[in-house]
Amino acid sequence: MPSLADQASRSIKMLIEQHHLLPGMHINIDSLAVDLCMSQTPIREALRKLATEGIVIHTPKTGYAVSNLTINEYIQILEVLRVLESYAVKELAKRPFLVDLKKLYSINGELRKNILSYDKVFFCHINDEFHKKLTENYNNVVMKKHFFFLWDGIRSKRDCMYCNSQWANIIVKEHEMIIKAIENGDPIGAEKAVITHYNSGKDSAEAHFK
């Protein structure tokens, strides 16, 4: 059973994803304790964890606030993620047996099925699962640690884009291009497919936040 801190962490993430806690907004721990029907202790523990993920920020003597990246900062981080993931996938495509292709197809199938009813929170969660599964067997542990630190840190900004189901359709199609390139043992094709995926994300962000 999840700890109270884990439950609090999930609830705070949900409040951010559903825009009840907006970027830059101060987080009132007393109010959260009342809203979540728990003491301040697990909430403080959850906020410390979320701060390490970059989802909230902590300022001494001020407290916690929701991370508030500018669009330029967000796109700069996307560029770093694009370099890291495209390189990892290119290397993995040289040894496709390291990648759980069956599971990737299954995860992408879940995303495709969700498009009709379109549960944004579910879609965000499964999309995260896809990217973690995609690179899980890449052998550079340090790279993966930094990649997912950055990935989690821009979650609230990235998840805003999923309000548009048209973007969800593009994600599913581009995921399939990535999987097929790996399956075919095509490192250059896999690298290009990931770069295309990130460039689409950049275009979507610029359209959404302009």
Side-chain angles (χ1 to χ4, degrees), residues 78-134:
L78 270 188
E79 289 174 355
V80 176
L81 291 172
R82 181 187 65 200
V83 171
L84 293 175
E85 190 167 16
S86 63
Y87 180 81
V89 169
K90 180 179 74 171
E91 293 301 303
L92 286 167
K94 296 175 183 177
R95 294 179 291 172
F97 60 87
L98 291 176
V99 183
D100 190 344
L101 296 168
K102 183 177 179 181
K103 182 62 175 178
L104 286 174
Y105 275 122
S106 174
I107 294 170
N108 208 41
E110 288 296 310
L111 289 172
R112 183 178 290 104
K113 285 191 294 186
N114 179 251
I115 289 174
L116 292 176
S117 56
Y118 201 57
D119 179 337
K120 182 176 80 76
V121 174
F122 176 81
F123 193 94
C124 297
H125 171 73
I126 299 300
N127 184 60
D128 282 355
E129 186 181 341
F130 178 89
H131 284 272
K132 288 177 180 177
K133 176 59 66 173
L134 180 62

Side-chain angles (χ1 to χ4, degrees), residues 8-30:
S9 178
R10 282 203 299 270
S11 296
I12 294 167
K13 284 182 179 179
M14 187 79 72
L15 289 170
I16 293 171
E17 289 167 359
Q18 295 180 348
H19 311 300
H20 298 297
L21 290 173
L22 299 174
M25 182 181 287
H26 175 72
I27 297 174
N28 187 308
I29 294 176
D30 291 336

Side-chain angles (χ1 to χ4, degrees), residues 7-187:
Q7 293 177 43
S9 178
R10 282 203 299 270
S11 296
I12 294 167
K13 284 182 179 179
M14 187 79 72
L15 289 170
I16 293 171
E17 289 167 359
Q18 295 180 348
H19 311 300
H20 298 297
L21 290 173
L22 299 174
M25 182 181 287
H26 175 72
I27 297 174
N28 187 308
I29 294 176
D30 291 336
S31 296
L32 272 181
V34 173
D35 293 342
L36 301 182
C37 299
M38 60 177 68
S39 72
Q40 292 185 10
T41 301
I43 291 173
R44 290 183 187 279
E45 186 178 341
L47 288 170
R48 284 194 293 270
K49 178 178 181 293
L50 293 175
T52 66
E53 297 176 8
I55 296 171
V56 303
I57 56 174
H58 180 258
T59 305
K61 299 183 180 180
T62 300
Y64 291 93
V66 180
S67 179
N68 188 24
L69 289 173
T70 67
I71 182 60
N72 286 334
E73 290 170 333
Y74 175 73
I75 287 174
Q76 287 170 18
I77 294 173
L78 270 188
E79 289 174 355
V80 176
L81 291 172
R82 181 187 65 200
V83 171
L84 293 175
E85 190 167 16
S86 63
Y87 180 81
V89 169
K90 180 179 74 171
E91 293 301 303
L92 286 167
K94 296 175 183 177
R95 294 179 291 172
F97 60 87
L98 291 176
V99 183
D100 190 344
L101 296 168
K102 183 177 179 181
K103 182 62 175 178
L104 286 174
Y105 275 122
S106 174
I107 294 170
N108 208 41
E110 288 296 310
L111 289 172
R112 183 178 290 104
K113 285 191 294 186
N114 179 251
I115 289 174
L116 292 176
S117 56
Y118 201 57
D119 179 337
K120 182 176 80 76
V121 174
F122 176 81
F123 193 94
C124 297
H125 171 73
I126 299 300
N127 184 60
D128 282 355
E129 186 181 341
F130 178 89
H131 284 272
K132 288 177 180 177
K133 176 59 66 173
L134 180 62
T135 57
E136 70 174 352
N137 289 327
Y138 182 56
N139 60 7
N140 190 324
V141 177
V142 174
M143 186 282 282
K144 288 193 292 185
K145 177 182 176 182
H146 287 287
F147 175 85
F148 285 111
F149 175 79
L150 290 172
W151 177 271
D152 290 336
I154 62 171
R155 181 185 306 279
S156 60
K157 185 78 80 174
R158 181 179 65 245
D159 289 356
C160 287
M161 296 185 300
Y162 298 145
C163 294
N164 186 343
S165 61
Q166 182 179 357
W167 171 230
N169 271 295
I170 293 170
I171 287 175
V172 169
K173 290 176 183 176
E174 291 177 347
H175 281 179
E176 188 161 341
M177 289 171 60
I178 294 169
I179 301 170
K180 286 183 175 178
I182 297 172
E183 189 174 30
N184 293 334
D186 179 4

